[in-house]
Amino acid sequence: MPRRIGLTGGIGSGKSTVLAMLQALGAAAIDADAISRATTAPGGAAIPLIAQRFGADFITADGALDRARMRERAYAQPQARRELEQIIHPLVGAEVQRQVEAAQAAGARCIVFDIPLLVESGRWRAQLERVLVVDCEPETQVARVVARSALAPEEVRAIIAAQAPRALRLAAADLVICNEGLSLEALRNVVEQAARSFGL
């Protein structure tokens, strides 16, 4: 059975870079966020169920979830968010399982689950052998995201504030990669060390 590793980190931590390095070393990657987004994209598996539960006006003209309208509903009625999750989570779970089985069939020694909300969700930990957290200073996060996007520093700080607190992520970690002041080559060396402990 392949090792099951959860990967998480705040915005701008370098999590995606670490994931790409792990894939280059032979890990199979499962992106829980991308799977979740796909269920509510045009033609996604959740769309008919959302239309049935919330009404057709929650679906955009191109057949996707109207996120703005759903956000308004969830803000006004917290129960709506739970109902949406009850639709999406089983679909995500089924697709994750399908991808796990495909990775096993392909002979993967390690499966890395890219889970941005790993700490917040609470439902992932039992499915994972180890949790790998990519970490850096908050001001480093802000600088990286500002450099790669059109966001202002205060907007990035608001995103960071909405994510799990750094201390909570670190407390959930079995292994931490401190991505602070490292060159790409130095980061790759750290990732390779971690990968060896995952059987890669």
Side-chain angles (χ1 to χ4, degrees):
M1 292 289 286
R3 308 287 298 275
R4 297 165 72 105
I5 310 300
L7 175 67
T8 195
I11 187 171
S13 64
K15 179 175 66 69
S16 299
T17 303
V18 168
L19 180 62
M21 290 175 176
L22 288 168
Q23 285 181 276
L25 293 166
I30 294 179
D31 185 338
D33 216 29
I35 292 170
S36 180
R37 284 195 304 273
T39 67
T40 58
I47 297 302
L49 299 167
I50 291 168
Q52 184 182 345
R53 171 63 193 83
F54 294 99
D57 51 347
F58 281 84
I59 309 301
T60 63
D62 65 350
L65 170 66
D66 186 331
R67 293 182 181 280
R69 187 181 285 261
M70 184 58 77
R71 261 194 305 273
E72 284 175 23
R73 169 65 68 88
Y75 184 74
Q77 301 174 20
Q79 176 65 17
R81 180 177 178 173
R82 287 191 290 275
E83 290 172 353
L84 181 65
E85 288 172 349
Q86 284 166 3
I87 291 170
I88 293 173
H89 285 173
L91 296 171
V92 172
E95 177 59 18
V96 165
Q97 185 56 34
R98 190 193 70 74
Q99 292 191 20
V100 165
E101 289 168 5
Q104 287 174 334
R109 286 173 294 163
C110 175
I111 301 173
V112 179
F113 296 82
D114 180 1
I115 311 169
L117 301 180
L118 190 156
V119 176
E120 293 93 324
S121 77
R123 65 193 181 89
W124 276 102
R125 190 61 184 92
Q127 303 175 50
L128 305 167
E129 282 182 56
R130 299 180 79 185
V131 171
L132 173 61
V133 171
V134 185
D135 182 61
C136 64
E137 295 294 332
E139 284 311 305
T140 303
Q141 291 178 264
V142 172
R144 286 177 181 157
V145 178
V146 167
R148 76 183 187 207
S149 72
L151 295 174
E154 56 272 19
E155 291 176 291
V156 182
R157 289 190 188 96
I159 294 169
I160 291 170
Q163 295 183 328
R166 182 185 184 193
L168 203 60
R169 267 199 305 274
L170 292 173
D174 296 304
L175 186 65
V176 177
I177 289 180
C178 181
N179 186 20
E180 188 72 50
L182 298 180
S183 66
L184 266 181
E185 194 52 46
L187 178 60
R188 189 173 286 109
N189 290 337
V190 174
V191 171
E192 285 173 357
Q193 285 178 357
R196 281 195 286 275
S197 75
F198 302 155
L200 290 173

